[in-house]
Structures are given as structure tokens and as C-alpha cells.
Amino acid sequence: MADRKQPIVEIRNLSKSYRRGIQVIPVLENINFDIPEGEFLALMGPSGSGKSTLLNLIAGIDKTDTGTVMVGGLDITSMTETELARWRAANVGFIFQLYNLIPVLTAFENVELPLLLTWLSRKERREHVEMTLQMVGLADRMDHYPSQLSGGQQQRVAIARAIVTDPTLLVADEPTGDLDRVSAEEILELIARLNREFGKTIIMVTHDPHAAGRAHIIKKLEKGILNAHS
Amino acid sequence: MHILKLIFRNALRHKLRTALTILGITIAILAFGILRTLVSAWYSGVEASSSARLISRNSISLVFSLPLSYKEKIRQIPGVKGVSYAIWFNGTYISEKNFIPNFAVEPKTFLELYPEYLLPEDQKTVFIRDRKSAIAGRKVAERFQWKVGDSITLKGTIFPGTWEFVLRGIYYGAEKSADETQLFFHWNYLNERLKKTTPRRADQTGVYIIGIDNPDQAAEISEAVDKTFKNSLAETLTETEKAFQMSFVTMTQAIVTVIQLVSFLVIIIIMAVVANTMAMTARERIGEYAIMKTLGFGGWHIVILILGESLVITMIGCVLGIILTFPGAGYFGNTMGNFFPVFDVSAMTLLLDVAASFLVGLIAAAFPTWRAVNIRIAEGLRRIG
């Protein structure tokens, strides 16, 4: 008998639109789905289909127009900005396409950034950061600035920053979009390993079928409407 | 890694832009400091005034003199502890560009009423005794490299003729505010020649300097002096020394006001420059601020980052500007020493420098901060790349 995992993300009747002047442009329409804990889900779709918007809504960095998003049993759509910020700091790790590291901070300092919002001591933060950089294979590059790292290495640092607080959820928006094939493979393997070995729930937006192939579940968005495909 | 480290690194991210902005602030604070010092110098005579001295002059105008016979009558008014007299001589030393304030005074009583002019006792004794002697302030003596014993010749303007003196003393001020640019000589020396050349101008003085026991009685004693000479040929106008000095400042109040306005205008201009720098900076980093908000940093962290960077830049400029203000004021003071005997950078000016820099830093960062704090994260992330 299959072991049904509890959903860590529950989305109900979610809709989102943007205003451009007086024009209202619908981006997502009546989205409903669950993401079981520990799953690796890929969100695919053509450009403009709303996949990044959906990811942002799940991660709590954008607000829905209608509908609810429950993450870990909490309704994040009813949280205030301050509550959301605190919730994100503790529960969500972000991996962006363009790495988005702070250029004036070293790899160590970039990874340490989320830990500044915790009560960890300097020594404890150091231990966490070193362990995380070790996990992503960059222990020997801690004092390097992003400009001194390759694209693949920068993305590893970004992944380390995303996981250093041991979040409930990892969201990745086109994590390999700016990398060459070899680096992209390395990053995908790292992400898959985080899911496989550490049980991280991962939601990855991608337009690359090869990248999506790493996920357990693929969902396709087209013009703001979700098609299910596993 | 602290937010402070990030603030400093951000401030140095665009080294040329930051350096130029700091240079702008440095120059602005330097200009502001010198202009404020100029305003203070304008009032230095007022600040150096004693509350225990009154000045009595001809009520019609300072141009008109008062009879010497008034002295004893003034001396007898209750509350008066000493009376001296002085007349503005306006002699020229070598050429008109060598402006030196010079007065004919009654030496003994004058020095008693001006204890802030410190003169070695031996020099004081000789000065009082020798009718052809003069004393000069330290600054004017240094300026013309005068030494005790030197002959000094003044060409009269108000009192025509060549006037020769022997420098018998160099006085220095007990306080920084004391005027050390003046020259004083014997009123009797002037009067004796006037008796021979223009007798109608003899036995006259320009002002009476009245020392009083109790400064709180200044108004009453002034009134008593003026009442004494009411309906006489030369009625008096008696006022505190401060009010007397203020009357000179008031004559040029429009200039002082313009200088003050210009000083504030300088600050407003640099505020616009810094605001432009911070607007550019914040605009470039909107994506980064969105990232930080994504990671869980709140609005207050963004406020600290942007305001902190703005204040780092303005306060570095402030410190450099203040450091340069001292030699700047020194140069200005030496060049304009003729007109501004006291040209010192006051503690209040430094405080205003710091306050102005702080205000510039705050206001310049206000709008970029507001924008960065309020922009939606998704909107900010879209700005990246």
C-alpha cells in the first residue's frame, strides 16, 4: 500500500491578476493543488504562463487576489507583511535564476545573511555556514566574492544560502537558466540530492524538460490554468 | 557579519561616485563653516562687550562730539564706578589698505575699564607716562612686525597732519574674543595739537566709556546720564556697550542676512546632490533590497541600510570639511584681519556643521528609502538583470 504523504502545500481557488493602467491582466485562474511533504515538483509552462507568479505566491513574496495558500498548516495569505517576512526567514529557501548574491559580501557572508535574523551566536552561525558550504562543495571558496566565482559556483552559494536555515520549503525559479550544461547538471544533482538525502520539499520552476525530468511531479501551466501531469 | 559592515561596503561600492559626493559635502561644509564663522565675526564686537560698561555718545550722531566737561558730571552719577573717554582717530598707516582701528583715549582710566586688554606692568607705566606713546594689539603688531620702541607714524584723516608715536606696549586679549587689532594713543596728545591748529575741536571727545558697579542697573544709569545732559547743546545717548556694538552690526544687517541665507543655500544644494546620489544608488539596488526582503529582512533593515549608507557618506564629508575649516578660517582671518579682528571657528559652528551633515544624510535618503521599503518584492525582483 502506497505511503500517502501529508501535503505541505495546499492551494485552493487561487487567482492572481496584474493591473497595467486601467487594464487588468489575469495571470492565474482558479488554481487548486497540493504538494506532499518531501516531494520534488517541477512547474513548467511557456513564458508568461504564470509559473513564476505561482511560485512567488507559494513562497509568500506576492499576494493573491483570491484563494488561499496553506504551507505547513499555516494560511500565509492571511499574514501581514511582517508576519510573512518572519515566516519566510524560517520556512522558505529561495534559489533564483541569476543567483542574486550580494556582490560586496563574500560567499561566507552571503550564506550567513539569513542567519542574522536568528538568535544564533557568531560561533554557531559560523558552524552552520561552514557546514552548508561544505555540503555544496565550496568550503575552500568561503572568502571569495561572487565576482571571483563561476556561475555554477555562485549558484551553489545561493543554494547554500537557501538551505542554511534548514527551511521547510525550497523554491527554485529557473535555477539552471543562466548556466552551461555541465554546471546545470551539477546544480540539478545538488537540488535532487537535497530532496533525496535530506527530504527537502522542492518546487522548481523551469522551462527545461531535462531539468523537469529530475522532479517527481511535473505540473504544467498554460495561460494561468494548471494541467496535471505526473 | 554585521549590517554595519554591509553599510560601509555599500558606500564604497562605487568608489568614484562616493568620492565625488564626499568631496561635494566637504566643500559644502567648508563653505558653510566659513560663512557661519564670518557671521560670528560680524558679531564679535557684540560678543566681546561687557555688561558692566556703558557707552555714551552724542544723541544726534556718533559723528558729533561731546564736551570733555561731561566727565566729572558722569562720574558723580550713582552707580558709576569709572569714566573714560575715547575718540575715533582713523589715521592711516603708510597706505589706506593698511586699515588699523585707532583711537585717542585717556590711557589710565581706559585700561582700568578694559581689563581684558592685558599689558605688562612696565609697558603700562611707560604708556601712561609718555604722552607721545601708543600701544597696539598683538595681532596688529605681528602684522606689521612692530616691536616695543618702534616709531609709528599715522597720517591723519579726520584730524589732518602727520602724527608720530612711539610704541610703548603690545597688549594681548585675556579672552579669544578680545580685539587685538587696535592701536591706542593719548587723547591729550591729540588735544594739545588741536588747541593750536583747530581750537574749536579741542576739549571734545567722541564717546564716554562708563564703568558701572551693577550691570542690572544699566538702564537706570543710562537714563540718569542722558537726563543729566538733556536740553544741553550736546545731548547724550547712553546705552550698554553691547547695544552700541549692535548698532554697527545693524547698519550692515542686510549683508549679514544674505551671508546667512547663502550658508543655508549651500546646504540645500549639497542636499540635492546627495539625494541624487542616493536615488541612483537605491535604484540600482532595488533588486538587492527585494532579495533581502525575500530572505526575511524587514522594512527597518532596508531603512538602516540606505540611511546608514547616506549618513556614512555625509559624515565622512562633514569630518573632512570640519578639518579643512580651521586652516580655511585661518587663511580668511589673516587676509581679512583688518575688518574681522576675531575670526575663530566656534563650537556652535562645528555643531551646526555636524547637524547640517546629519540632516542632509537623512533627508537625501528619505525618498529612496521610502521607495525601497514600499516596493513589492515581486516588483523588485523583476528589476534584476
Side-chain angles (χ1 to χ4, degrees), chain A residues 33-222:
Chain A
F33 72 97
D34 295 347
I35 302 172
E37 191 175 358
E39 279 298 345
F40 186 170
L41 178 140
L43 269 176
M44 290 191 72
S47 181
S49 59
K51 49 188 193 300
S52 292
T53 302
L54 180 56
L55 194 73
N56 289 346
L57 290 168
I58 295 169
I61 58 176
D62 204 351
K63 286 276 194 186
T64 62
D65 289 345
T66 58
T68 58
V69 178
M70 304 280 288
V71 181
L74 292 171
D75 179 5
I76 67 168
T77 51
S78 63
M79 287 183 184
T80 63
E81 285 296 331
T82 308
E83 287 167 342
L84 266 176
R86 258 189 241 129
W87 174 81
R88 279 197 306 272
N91 292 282
V92 187
F94 296 83
I95 307 164
F96 301 95
Q97 179 179 349
L98 297 176
Y99 335 127
N100 291 339
L101 300 176
I102 308 293
V104 293
L105 299 178
T106 62
F108 182 99
E109 289 163 344
N110 265 289
V111 175
E112 193 190 14
L113 208 52
L115 294 178
L116 296 179
L117 297 169
T118 66
W119 292 107
L120 294 175
S121 68
R122 195 174 171 182
K123 185 166 173 262
E124 286 166 330
R125 291 201 306 267
R126 173 158 275 276
E127 283 166 5
H128 274 70
V129 171
E130 283 175 355
M131 183 181 72
T132 312
L133 281 169
Q134 181 86 23
M135 261 173 64
V136 302
L138 283 176
D140 58 337
R141 295 272 197 272
M142 302 195 187
D143 297 325
H144 285 60
Y145 288 92
S147 59
Q148 296 168 321
L149 301 170
S150 68
Q153 288 171 331
Q154 288 186 57
Q155 193 61 296
R156 284 171 186 270
V157 174
I159 290 171
R161 183 180 66 186
I163 62 174
V164 75
T165 54
D166 194 20
T168 312
L169 198 60
L170 274 178
V171 297
D173 193 347
E174 306 273 10
T176 59
D178 210 51
L179 299 172
D180 58 80
R181 179 53 62 188
V182 172
S183 302
E185 269 308 307
E186 288 172 0
I187 294 303
L188 286 171
E189 175 52 31
L190 182 53
I191 292 173
R193 195 176 136 225
L194 289 170
N195 173 251
R196 196 170 57 235
E197 290 180 27
F198 298 96
K200 294 289 174 198
T201 307
I202 299 174
I203 307 167
M204 183 174 72
V205 160
T206 183
H207 65 271
D208 179 5
H210 176 74
R214 292 281 197 148
H216 304 148
I217 308 170
I218 297 173
K219 290 202 181 290
K220 287 192 177 170
L221 266 173
E222 210 154 317

Side-chain angles (χ1 to χ4, degrees), chain B residues 30 41 51 104 116 123 143 169 176 188 290 320 329 337 379 384:
Chain B
L30 172 62
S51 57
E116 62 265 34
Q123 293 179 11
R143 185 177 151 209
K176 270 186 129 181
N188 274 334
L320 292 173
E379 173 71 32
I384 296 171

Side-chain angles (χ1 to χ4, degrees), chain B residues 363-379:
Chain B
I363 294 175
F367 180 69
T369 303
W370 176 85
R371 206 151 162 271
V373 166
N374 287 296
I375 196 166
R376 290 184 309 115
I377 295 173
E379 173 71 32

Side-chain angles (χ1 to χ4, degrees), chain B residues 56-121:
Chain B
S56 191
R57 60 170 174 89
N58 192 305
S59 65
I60 299 171
S61 165
L62 195 54
V63 168
F64 296 103
S65 55
L66 293 170
L68 199 65
S69 58
Y70 282 15
K71 183 188 168 191
E72 279 314 306
K73 289 182 185 173
I74 295 172
R75 185 69 187 86
Q76 283 159 30
I77 292 172
V80 172
K81 79 170 182 199
V83 181
S84 186
Y85 46 91
I87 192 162
W88 171 244
F89 185 71
N90 199 34
T92 304
Y93 177 66
I94 302 173
S95 97
E96 279 173 12
K97 66 179 175 68
N98 296 331
F99 174 73
I100 305 170
N102 46 83
F103 301 85
V105 302
E106 199 296 303
K108 185 170 180 294
T109 54
F110 182 81
L111 288 174
E112 281 168 4
L113 287 178
Y114 283 89
E116 62 265 34
Y117 295 155
L118 300 174
L119 198 58
E121 276 307 312

Side-chain angles (χ1 to χ4, degrees), chain B residues 128-236:
Chain B
I128 291 170
R129 194 178 58 224
D130 182 357
R131 199 169 281 192
K132 278 192 76 175
S133 66
I135 58 170
R138 179 186 59 84
K139 282 185 183 169
V140 67
E142 279 172 5
R143 185 177 151 209
F144 296 110
Q145 291 157 12
W146 289 341
K147 293 182 302 300
V148 171
D150 282 355
S151 293
I152 295 165
T153 304
L154 296 182
K155 189 176 163 194
T157 52
I158 302 171
F159 303 98
T162 303
W163 301 77
E164 288 169 356
F165 309 94
V166 179
L167 189 68
R168 293 296 185 192
I170 296 172
Y171 75 86
Y172 54 98
E175 287 134 26
K176 270 186 129 181
S177 58
D179 187 349
E180 294 176 338
T181 67
Q182 303 172 104
L183 182 143
F184 303 107
F185 63 91
H186 281 245
W187 180 88
N188 274 334
Y189 178 48
L190 168 67
N191 200 45
E192 275 166 19
R193 196 188 290 191
L194 287 177
K195 280 180 178 173
K196 292 175 196 163
T197 56
T198 37
R200 62 176 174 79
R201 296 177 84 182
D203 296 334
Q204 304 280 322
T205 187
V207 295
Y208 281 99
I209 305 150
I210 305 166
I212 58 178
D213 293 313
N214 184 357
D216 292 337
Q217 290 182 314
E220 296 160 40
I221 297 172
S222 299
E223 204 183 322
V225 171
D226 293 341
K227 200 174 169 187
T228 306
F229 304 105
K230 199 167 172 54
N231 299 319
S232 66
L233 278 174
E235 290 187 353
T236 58

Side-chain angles (χ1 to χ4, degrees), chain B residues 273-303:
Chain B
V273 169
V274 178
N276 184 47
T277 299
M278 292 316 299
M280 277 198 294
T281 298
R283 194 165 49 240
E284 285 164 7
R285 293 194 213 138
I286 277 287
E288 275 178 40
Y289 300 136
I291 300 292
M292 293 196 67
K293 285 201 230 179
T294 306
L295 295 176
F297 287 88
W300 274 114
H301 293 103
I302 308 301
V303 169

